[in-house]
């Protein structure tokens, strides 16, 4: 091997080169300089960390340098493909802007002045600040807020740390993603199901951009199969719309009217699956009465979708062999979100679409022998800050928006510190001005990331986690219709002074004590290898090491409810078309439509949504993806743009009702509903260590107002009304 580590590091740290090729390839060219004539080639299977899908790949490593990541053909979710983002991940270890060692802030927050620190120094600094904060609050450990998105370490080590530390204040990703969807489907079916989209012959996608958001082989197969009808309902002409049979640019926030009218037609024409309803459902009579007046003509007024089309879709859907009204994923849009999802669940229920091929299928997962950490009980333990603000608050997930509001008012107690792991809260939580107000009240902000995100940029201590291609992660059960267990193993040696999550949290724990003076480090037993050896069998571990995953070998798990192996996990044990539980809580027991607010003259509803080559805020600065899309632009309907005197390429200022604003290039287009505007996430960064997106384009969180849905606690991303002004 002729590439020494030092030489490689020198190469990768060089500034933008003159090679004129895709930037990521440039790093690898630099890394591979002076390659030997008989290179050492090896393949390592591992799993992608660039989005939640965790596709398993086969990584090709030549002379210790990653050359490419190929999809693992046997892995059910990836089969023959890896998306653009997954491919671009190959170069992240070599990105000169990655985090390389612990940093402690020396200047003001956000000034970007740091000193390099050893891990011991960083841990000690964190522990001193946190212990002082807890003391200042009379021993109340709830004063530290824990924040994380999903990921392989999040589940046990990070949560484990929080559990033994003793704060109930955890905020996880569902609160800014899909908790309203989960709650809506749970209230009807008792679980949040998957959709067997490959085998369904009639699919309604309302607010689900599969072709960009879950661009996997089954999505391709879904579009590719003959004889299939796909109805796309979206205020934007997305890639999914382009691939669908029909697209309807619905008035935003009116999906429930569409769903209720579908139910109306199906019941009026007696197209329902009465046998399924009689055997599995409760509340049918109430639902039938409820939708009596939800006619297609009424729904046309609300949704903008012609009545004749609604009627036709309802009929075709009910008569199809395997229809599915896709549940969607991200769901925090409008105020009535939980009820909207319930109405969508009910459209499925009345045609008997439950636990069958081509339909909705309850989640399956493979269990592993994980030993959860037992919580330590502290005398001053306090309930979650926002415990009273949300009807169905999930204690393990929390609710970001009311939590932040309470923290700002120190109501009922003060939050003094934030431990943030793998969530870029400055960009991912609406209304970043408010997030900064929260930061201003903190004695200590710790951020564990792999890059200098906007959140890390404003933190006091930044801890660099080891890149996913250099790291060993524990086995992770991936649930779905065809469940599997995946894991990550290093393709290359660790290049910098970084640590994997397991080490970070188990080592940090040793700097804290419980009330009896016992080290919290005692709760973390064993190395990551010890965990792996106990969590799965030797044979399974061997499979993980060679293939990067294992399954039960039984293929899709469909039909357990119908075979009597699985109950319906609602309070009544039935599919609930009417919810006594909701009624008892003073909530509407049936989905009641409420017309969303119209933006008003000269104003727009601001929408967010996925982009095929980006993951949230994370990838916009990946050189090879940024090369395709150097900045974002705001979609404005052509007619509305003309009214404003705005042309494509003009700069506009977008301002919300609370003064939040950002400036961005305009893109006049027919591809968006006249009431709405949209731009992609990840740009307009504040972190100077993300130079490709620093100050380039606009940030969604600068423009999003804070709203939440009080049944599930989901932050609402489509309740923002903005004004556009040419600058
Ligand atoms: N490429 C890529 N893929 C991803 C991710 C990513 O960041 N990038 N993130 C992953 C994650 S965490 C999630 S949660 C999923 C999200 O996956 P999806 O939910 O499929 O994707 P989104 O683009 O968030 O939202 C879907 C669509 O809803 C539309 N919409 C907005 N308002 C309305 C409305 O009122 N009615 C209707 N019918 N439609 C509306 C938007 O225009 C958008 O096109 O994607 C996952 N996959
Ligand atoms: N404005 C806006 N906000 C949104 C959404 C939106 O569409 N627009 N969508 C919402 C949805 S659906 C979701 S799921 C959430 C997602 O919210 P986030 O989880 O905050 O999403 P990301 O922007 O991907 O940020 C993840 C952070 O983790 C870092 N990271 C990546 N890999 C690793 C790793 O291995 N270890 C560590 N420690 N860090 C790592 C990345 O560098 C990045 O800073 O955002 C929600 N918020
Ligand atoms: S869908 Fe793309 S980014 Fe997500 S895990 Fe798979 S390859 Fe990675
Ligand atoms: Mo999400």
């Amino acid at each position: 091997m002729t590439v020494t580590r030092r030489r490689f590091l020198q190469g990768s740290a060089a500034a933008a080169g003159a090679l004129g090729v895709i930037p990521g390839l440039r790093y690898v060219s630099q890394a591979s300089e002076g390659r030997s004539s008989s290179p050492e080639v090896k393949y390592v299977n591992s799993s992608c960390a660039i989005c939640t899908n965790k596709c398993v790949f086969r990584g090709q490593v030549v002379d210790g340098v990653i050359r490419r990541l190929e999809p693992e053909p046997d892995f059910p979710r990836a089969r023959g493909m890896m998306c653009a983002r997954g491919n671009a991940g190959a170069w992240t270890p070599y990105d000169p802007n990655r985090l390389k060692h612990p940093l402690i802030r020396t200047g003001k927050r956000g000034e970007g002045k740091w000193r390099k620190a050893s891990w011991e120094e960083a841990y000690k600094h964190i522990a001193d600040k946190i212990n002082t904060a807890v003391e200042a609050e009379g021993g109340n450990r709830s004063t530290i807020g824990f924040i994380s998105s999903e990921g392989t370490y999040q589940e046990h080590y990070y949560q484990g740390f929080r559990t033994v530390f003793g704060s109930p204040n955890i905020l996880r990703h569902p609160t800014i993603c899909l908790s309203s969807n989960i709650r809506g489907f749970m209230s009807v079916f008792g679980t949040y199901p998957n959709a067997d989209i490959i085998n369904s012959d009639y699919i309604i996608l309302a607010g689900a951009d599969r072709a960009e958001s879950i661009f996997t082989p089954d999505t391709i197969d879904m579009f590719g199969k003959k004889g299939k009808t796909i109805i796309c309902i979206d205020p934007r002409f997305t890639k999914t719309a382009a691939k669908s049979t029909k697209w309807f640019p619905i008035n935003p926030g009116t999906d429930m009217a569409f769903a209720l009218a579908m139910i109306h037609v199906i019941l009026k024409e007696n197209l329902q699956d009465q046998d399924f309803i009689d055997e599995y459902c409760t509340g049918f009579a109430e639902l039938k009465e409820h939708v009596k007046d939800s006619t297609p003509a009424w729904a046309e007024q609300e949704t903008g979708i012609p009545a004749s089309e609604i009627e036709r879709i309802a009929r075709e859907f009910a008569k199809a062999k395997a229809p599915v009204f896709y549940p969607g994923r991200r769901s925090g849009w409008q105020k009535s979100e939980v009820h909207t999802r319930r109405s969508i669940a009910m459209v499925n229920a009345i045609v008997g679409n439950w636990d069958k091929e081509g339909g909705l299928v309850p989640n399956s997962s493979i269990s592993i022998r994980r030993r959860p950490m037992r919580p330590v009980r502290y005398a001053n333990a306090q309930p979650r800050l926002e415990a009273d603000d949300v009807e169905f608050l999930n204690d393990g997930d929390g609710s970001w928006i009311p939590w932040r509001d309470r923290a700002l008012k120190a109501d009922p107690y003060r939050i003094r510190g934030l431990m943030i792991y793998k969530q870029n809260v400055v960009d991912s939580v609406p209304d970043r001005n408010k997030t900064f107000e929260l930061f201003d009240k903190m004695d200590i902000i710790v951020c564990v990331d792999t890059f200098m995100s906007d959140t890390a940029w404003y933190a006091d201590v930044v801890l660099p986690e080891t890149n996913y291609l250099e790291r060993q992660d524990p086995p992770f059960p991936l649930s779905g219709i065809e469940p599997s267990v995946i894991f990550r193993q290093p393709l290359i040696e660790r290049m910098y002074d970084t640590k994997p999550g397991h080490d970070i949290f188990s080592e940090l724990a040793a700097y804290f004590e419980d009330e009896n003076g016992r080290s919290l480090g005692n709760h973390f037993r064993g190395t990551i290898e010890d965990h792996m050896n106990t969590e799965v069998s030797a044979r399974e571990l061997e499979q993980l090491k060679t293939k990067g995953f294992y399954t039960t070998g039984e293929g899709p798990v469909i039909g357990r409810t119908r075979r009597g192996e699985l109950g319906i996990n609602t309070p009544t044990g039935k599919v609930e078309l009417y919810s006594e539980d909701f009624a008892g809580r003073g909530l509407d027991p049936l989905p009641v439509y409420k017309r969303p607010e119209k933006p008003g003259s000269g104003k727009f509803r601001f929408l967010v949504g996925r982009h095929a080559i980006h993951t949230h805020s994370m990838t916009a600065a990946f050189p090879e993806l940024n090369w395709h899309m150097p900045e974002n632009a705001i979609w404005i309907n052509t007619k509305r743009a003309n009214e404003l005197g705005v042309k494509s390429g003009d700069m506009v200022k977008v301002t919300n009702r609370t003064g939040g604003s950002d400036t961005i290039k305009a893109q006049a287009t027919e591809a968006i509903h006249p009431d709405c505007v949209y731009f992609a996430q990840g740009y307009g960064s504040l972190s100077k260590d993300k130079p490709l997106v620093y100050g380039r384009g606009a940030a969604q969180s600068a423009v999003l107002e804070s709203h939440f849905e009080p049944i599930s606690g989901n932050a609402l991303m489509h309740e923002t009304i903005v004004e556009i002004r040419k600058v």
Side-chain angles (χ1 to χ4, degrees), residues 387-440:
D388 296 333
D389 299 337
V390 174
E391 186 60 41
F392 289 89
L393 186 65
N394 183 324
D395 264 347
D397 296 339
S399 176
W400 241 115
I401 303 293
W403 190 88
R404 186 178 59 188
D405 284 343
R406 287 205 176 247
L408 287 173
K409 290 186 283 188
D411 173 21
Y413 54 84
R414 200 171 150 187
I415 298 293
R416 283 180 179 265
L418 300 175
M419 270 286 279
I420 305 170
Y421 174 62
K422 199 181 178 286
Q423 189 174 94
N424 184 7
V425 305
V426 171
D427 282 336
S428 302
V429 181
D431 198 344
R432 77 177 179 200
N433 288 340
K434 267 202 177 180
T435 303
F436 286 136
E437 276 178 47
L438 175 74
F439 282 12
D440 285 344

Side-chain angles (χ1 to χ4, degrees), residues 303-325:
T303 61
I305 304 176
S308 57
E309 293 283 0
I310 299 174
E311 251 169 52
R312 188 182 54 78
I313 293 169
R315 260 180 225 135
E316 288 176 358
F317 181 85
K319 289 180 184 168
K321 207 163 138 270
V324 69
F325 197 141

Side-chain angles (χ1 to χ4, degrees), residues 5 60 66 76 120 176 222 257 268 302 321 499 525 565-566 689:
R5 181 165 168 268
Q60 187 194 51
I66 299 165
E120 292 69 30
I176 47 173
M222 169 182 90
K268 191 169 154 218
E302 299 302 320
K321 207 163 138 270
K499 284 179 191 276
R525 294 224 179 80
E565 295 159 22
L566 196 73
D689 283 343

Side-chain angles (χ1 to χ4, degrees), residues 150-162:
E150 63 85 51
T152 44
Y153 278 132
Q154 185 266 122
E155 300 295 337
H156 42 348
Y157 307 124
Y158 182 71
Q159 287 279 32
F161 178 84
R162 176 193 67 93

Side-chain angles (χ1 to χ4, degrees), residues 197-203 227-230 320-324 358:
I197 49 158
I198 300 183
N199 294 308
S200 42
D201 58 354
Y202 201 99
I203 305 175
K228 196 171 229 177
T229 303
I230 301 178
K321 207 163 138 270
V324 69

Side-chain angles (χ1 to χ4, degrees), residues 49-50 52 148-150 153 173-174 176-178 329-331 420-425 427-430 447-455 463-468 471 473 488 504 606 608-610 615-619 622 681 690 699-702 704 717:
I50 307 299
T52 171
S148 79
S149 275
E150 63 85 51
Y153 278 132
H173 101 282
I176 47 173
C177 176
L178 78 170
R329 187 173 156 87
R330 182 177 67 77
S331 60
I420 305 170
Y421 174 62
K422 199 181 178 286
Q423 189 174 94
N424 184 7
V425 305
D427 282 336
S428 302
V429 181
C447 181
V448 187
D449 208 295
T450 45
F451 280 91
M452 187 63 92
S453 68
D454 285 6
T455 305
L463 300 179
E465 184 161 20
T466 303
N467 183 283
Y468 72 106
R471 176 170 102 197
D473 281 9
R488 301 203 169 99
I504 296 175
F606 180 63
V608 305
R610 301 289 163 260
T615 300
H616 307 293
S617 72
M618 176 171 151
T619 57
F622 285 12
Q681 198 188 355
K690 283 187 139 186
Q700 290 178 349
S701 63
L704 285 167
M717 305 276 176

Side-chain angles (χ1 to χ4, degrees), residues 236-384:
R236 295 189 303 128
F237 188 74
T238 57
K239 304 283 183 283
T240 301
K243 287 279 180 188
S244 294
T245 318
K246 280 212 169 189
W247 167 59
F248 297 99
I250 191 169
N251 293 331
T254 64
D255 296 67
M256 194 201 293
F258 174 77
L260 294 178
M262 274 190 76
I263 300 174
H264 172 96
V265 174
I266 292 170
L267 299 187
K268 191 169 154 218
E269 303 190 3
N270 217 13
L271 299 172
Q272 71 274 19
D273 182 341
Q274 198 62 48
D275 290 345
F276 179 84
I277 293 170
D278 293 343
E279 185 173 353
Y280 289 102
C281 303
T282 168
F284 178 65
E286 289 89 341
L287 177 64
K288 193 168 178 179
E289 176 63 22
H290 182 64
V291 298
K292 222 174 45 193
D293 300 326
S294 305
T295 61
W298 162 77
E300 174 175 339
Q301 295 297 312
E302 299 302 320
T303 61
I305 304 176
S308 57
E309 293 283 0
I310 299 174
E311 251 169 52
R312 188 182 54 78
I313 293 169
R315 260 180 225 135
E316 288 176 358
F317 181 85
K319 289 180 184 168
K321 207 163 138 270
V324 69
F325 197 141
Y326 185 73
R329 187 173 156 87
R330 182 177 67 77
S331 60
W333 299 344
Q334 275 91 21
K335 287 179 191 130
S336 59
E337 200 58 56
V338 168
H339 287 296
T340 297
R341 300 292 161 164
R342 295 180 73 218
S343 67
I344 292 173
M346 288 175 195
V347 174
N348 285 299
I350 60 165
V351 298
N353 175 10
W354 188 244
D355 210 358
K356 63 177 197 184
E357 213 172 80
L360 295 180
V361 179
N363 231 348
S364 287
S365 55
I366 299 175
S367 59
I368 60 175
R369 290 182 296 276
R370 198 164 269 171
R371 283 170 309 184
M373 292 219 265
R374 250 183 260 129
V376 178
R377 301 269 165 230
Y378 294 97
N380 285 339
Q382 303 268 340
R384 297 190 58 96

